[in-house]
Amino acid sequence: MKMHPSELYFYHSPGQVIDKQTLAYAHSIANFINQIDVVKERITTTQWNSMLMKLNLRAKDLLNKAHPDYQSKIAGNDWDEESWLNILVRNPHLIKSPIAVLRNKAILCRTPSDILKLN
């Protein structure tokens, strides 16, 4: 996916409170925000891998380990990195916080104000 340099890409799950709060902060650092609902829009393993490289994180670092689906389907298994990417593709609702990408920087927004670090 080609990214416009002045556009902030906001990967989130709209139903989450932290996602709504973080989006409000996003408007203070970017005029153009491309909201991507990770539950409705399929993100490929290649796209996830690109984001993970910018975040300097592993796929499993994005997942909410307290979520009941994580506990029942994923916890306790020994997965390789390819499997973790596939878990992200198939279970995007397990992402623990929104991800913001601006230019070549990305951040996992654990708190709403984390997005300001992109500015």
Side-chain angles (χ1 to χ4, degrees), residues 6-119:
S6 65
E7 189 170 14
L8 185 137
Y9 290 80
F10 189 71
Y11 297 86
H12 68 116
S13 179
Q16 302 292 333
V17 174
I18 187 174
D19 295 46
K20 292 175 186 175
Q21 294 170 341
T22 306
L23 184 57
Y25 276 98
H27 288 286
S28 71
I29 64 168
N31 291 329
F32 304 104
I33 300 172
N34 187 350
Q35 296 182 53
I36 296 104
D37 180 339
V38 296
V39 176
K40 290 182 180 177
E41 295 184 39
R42 182 174 165 87
I43 301 181
T44 66
T45 55
T46 303
Q47 290 170 313
W48 278 120
N49 203 33
S50 175
M51 269 191 281
L52 288 165
M53 288 173 39
K54 289 176 184 169
L55 290 165
N56 197 28
L57 294 173
R58 300 169 298 175
K60 70 180 184 177
D61 297 332
L62 299 181
L63 300 175
N64 178 359
K65 293 172 178 65
H67 194 285
D69 288 348
Y70 183 94
Q71 291 298 316
S72 66
K73 299 175 184 175
I74 300 164
N77 293 306
D78 188 26
W79 306 99
D80 61 13
E81 196 57 37
E82 181 79 19
S83 297
W84 283 112
L85 283 170
N86 286 317
I87 289 168
L88 276 174
V89 169
R90 292 185 185 109
N91 302 282
H93 66 285
L94 293 178
I95 295 170
K96 60 183 164 188
S97 350
I99 299 167
V101 180
L102 182 62
R103 296 176 202 90
N104 282 332
K105 293 172 63 177
I107 190 158
L108 179 64
C109 302
R110 292 181 175 100
T111 67
S113 62
D114 281 349
I115 199 167
L116 299 175
K117 295 174 185 174
L118 288 175
N119 201 5

